[in-house]
Structures are given as C-alpha cells and as structure tokens.
Amino acid sequence: MRATLRLVWVLPALVLVGVFVYLPLVQNLQFSTLKWDIYSGSQEYVGLDNYVKLVDDPVFWTSLGNNVLYAVVSIVFQVFGALLLAALIESIGSERWRRGLRAVYFIPSAISLTVAGLLFYFVYEPNLGPLNHALKAVGLGQFAQAWLGQESTAMSAIVAMSQWQGFGYSTLLFAVAIQRIPSEIYGAAAIDGVGAVRRFFHVTVPLVREMTGLMAIVTISGAFQVFNEVMVMTAGGPNNSTQVLGTWLYRSGFVRNNFGYAAAIATVLFAITLGIAVAQLWVTRRRRVEW
C-alpha cells in the first residue's frame, strides 16, 4: 500500500520529466537522421550523413574549439580563481567588509548575459568605447583596436566579458562553502603554526572539494551551452571565428534551413556535456568529504 502511494506521488513528476526531457532527447536523435526543410515540411531519411558532415565541417570544429577555450578559461577563473578570492574575503576579520566585498563581486552576476553583452559591445567599440580611450589615455594607444572586429581578438573579448559576469556568483558559492568549514579546524591549524598559504592548500581546498566538483560541472556545462553573449556581441563573426556550438546549431537550423544537421549538432553537444557531468560526478563521489 505504501509503495503504491509513493508511486502515485512520484508519477506526475515522472510523466513531466519523460514528456519534457527524455521524449525531446529521443526525438532530437531521430531528427538528426533526417534532411528536413522546416519551411516546406519535407523530410528525407539520410541515416548518419549529418554526422559525417560534422566531421568535414570546419566551422563545427571552430565552434567546438571555442567552446573548449571557453571551458578552460572558465575553469581557471570561475573555479580556481573564485575559490582563491573567496578564501581571501573570508580571511578578513571585519564582517562588514566581508559582506560588502561579497556584494560588490556579486553585482555583475545580477546582470543578464544579454545586457552584459550589450554593455561590453559598447566597451569594445573601437571609436567611442571606453577601453580604447583608456589605453590611449595611459600611453598604450598602439594596443587600441577593433576588439570584436578581428578574428584574433573577438573570441577572447567575449570570453573576458563572460568571466566578468560570472566570476562573482562562483565566488559567493565558494564563500558559503568555506563558511561551512568548522572554525575549530582552522583554530587547530593555527595552533600548529600553519601559515595562511598552507591553510588554504591543506585545509580549505580539501574541505570544499564537493563544491569545487559541483562548480566544475556547472562551469563546463555552461561553457558548452554558450549562446546569448555570442549572438549579442558578434553573432558568430567575423568570418565565423566566434561561432560556438549553440550559435552554429541555431544558424544551421533556422538560417540555413538544415534542421537535421542542427539536430546532429545538438546530439553531439548533449553527449559531450553528459559525458563530462558523469565523469565529474564519479570523481566527486569517490572523494566525498565528511567531518
């Protein structure tokens, strides 16, 4: 009776997850085997041809490389950098200063990615943007350039904006994780004469391991789902140099009218993020922290 009652309570959630999560995944896999004109509605089964085209598509590899770059930079700044900053903030003696700094660093995260992208589009503007004006004002005018108009700098400029926007959120989460560490552990380390640097590496880092694993999963998954900032700032240009998998998927499906190919990109994107998440969860569970 109890088992039946539990099933009744769980069944609506299972139905919703099945209809809105797993069914679309199966349908997308089916769509990826079609040549589909979404305007005329014509469909032609092509098997794995869309995946073969992926291998031979240079823009797909450029997009994947940009996502990987985004993930690596995000791990450095939004995981390791945020952890270091959080530890520095939590080491400050004044509670007022700690609260103030948390708020200051969190403010950019309260701005939507679309708004942040528009803001930095103006910052990077070559003629009126404050970045080039600041470089010229300090005698570094030779470095002033069209940041979003050159293949060599456009992607780096977008990644930099994204780190500015997401850095404070990661810092706040790590600050919460550090606050959960019993103060007695830090007290015992201080009594033993352990300095601040050694306390960070031998106390703080091991005891926030679970949060680090979670942030790594969220950060890498987010890096492979980048879309808004690229569309707002460059729309994938110049010359497709800032395309990411999300924007190339959109362009393939809704601009080039190749919905089956877009579904193949989506399938690859799902497989990458799922594989990374499963691997990181496995590593995190094996190294769970208890106190």
Side-chain angles (χ1 to χ4, degrees):
M1 182 63 181
R2 288 184 177 180
T4 304
L5 186 60
R6 290 171 184 167
L7 182 60
V8 170
W9 284 104
V10 172
L11 188 59
L14 292 177
V15 171
L16 289 174
V17 170
V19 171
F20 292 104
V21 177
Y22 294 108
L23 179 59
L25 288 174
V26 174
Q27 288 180 321
N28 182 80
L29 187 61
Q30 177 189 357
F31 296 158
S32 70
T33 62
L34 303 174
K35 183 179 181 182
W36 185 2
D37 186 324
I38 61 174
Y39 299 110
S40 67
S42 63
Q43 298 180 2
E44 177 187 350
Y45 179 77
V46 295
L48 300 177
D49 283 0
N50 287 322
Y51 295 96
V52 174
K53 289 180 182 178
L54 279 179
V55 177
D56 296 328
D57 183 1
V59 180
F60 169 77
W61 292 108
T62 298
S63 303
L64 181 60
N66 286 335
N67 280 113
V68 171
L69 171 66
Y70 201 105
V72 171
V73 175
S74 296
I75 285 291
V76 172
F77 285 94
Q78 296 190 35
V79 178
F80 299 118
L83 173 57
L84 177 60
L85 179 60
L88 290 173
I89 291 174
E90 294 306 311
S91 67
I92 297 174
S94 171
E95 177 66 21
R96 179 178 297 178
W97 275 100
R98 290 200 301 270
R99 290 180 179 177
L101 288 173
R102 289 187 211 120
V104 167
Y105 283 107
F106 182 74
I107 286 174
S109 300
I111 303 173
S112 74
L113 278 171
T114 302
V115 174
L118 290 171
L119 173 64
F120 272 76
Y121 183 86
F122 170 70
V123 170
Y124 291 136
E125 209 281 330
N127 298 315
L128 301 175
L131 178 56
N132 280 350
H133 279 290
L135 290 173
K136 293 174 183 177
V138 297
L140 298 175
Q142 67 271 24
F143 295 108
Q145 54 194 296
W147 298 95
L148 298 176
Q150 301 177 147
E151 295 182 31
S152 59
T153 58
M155 194 64 210
S156 299
I158 295 174
V159 172
M161 181 281 298
S162 185
Q163 303 312 305
W164 171 83
Q165 195 271 343
F167 187 71
Y169 179 73
S170 301
T171 300
L172 187 64
L173 291 180
F174 275 118
V176 173
I178 292 172
Q179 291 170 14
R180 292 181 60 245
I181 299 175
S183 58
E184 292 82 2
I185 297 178
Y186 285 111
I191 292 173
D192 289 340
V194 178
V197 175
R198 290 185 61 195
R199 279 203 305 271
F200 174 74
F201 285 105
H202 295 284
V203 178
T204 303
V205 171
L207 294 182
V208 298
R209 188 182 300 139
E210 290 186 24
M211 178 59 74
T212 304
L214 174 62
M215 288 306 303
I217 293 173
V218 172
T219 300
I220 295 177
S221 298
F224 279 93
Q225 297 172 26
V226 173
F227 182 82
N228 286 14
E229 49 267 61
V230 176
M231 286 299 292
V232 168
M233 299 178 74
T234 64
N239 195 27
N240 289 321
S241 63
T242 61
Q243 293 284 4
V244 290
L245 291 177
T247 57
W248 190 233
L249 183 158
Y250 170 82
R251 187 170 184 82
S252 297
F254 297 101
V255 178
R256 302 174 71 197
N257 192 21
N258 194 345
F259 204 77
Y261 185 72
I265 297 174
T267 301
V268 172
L269 181 57
F270 170 73
I272 291 172
T273 54
L274 178 64
I276 292 172
V278 170
Q280 289 180 325
L281 283 173
W282 181 75
V283 171
T284 303
R285 285 184 178 180
R286 287 182 54 130
R287 304 180 66 185
R288 179 164 294 178
V289 177
E290 295 181 1
W291 59 70

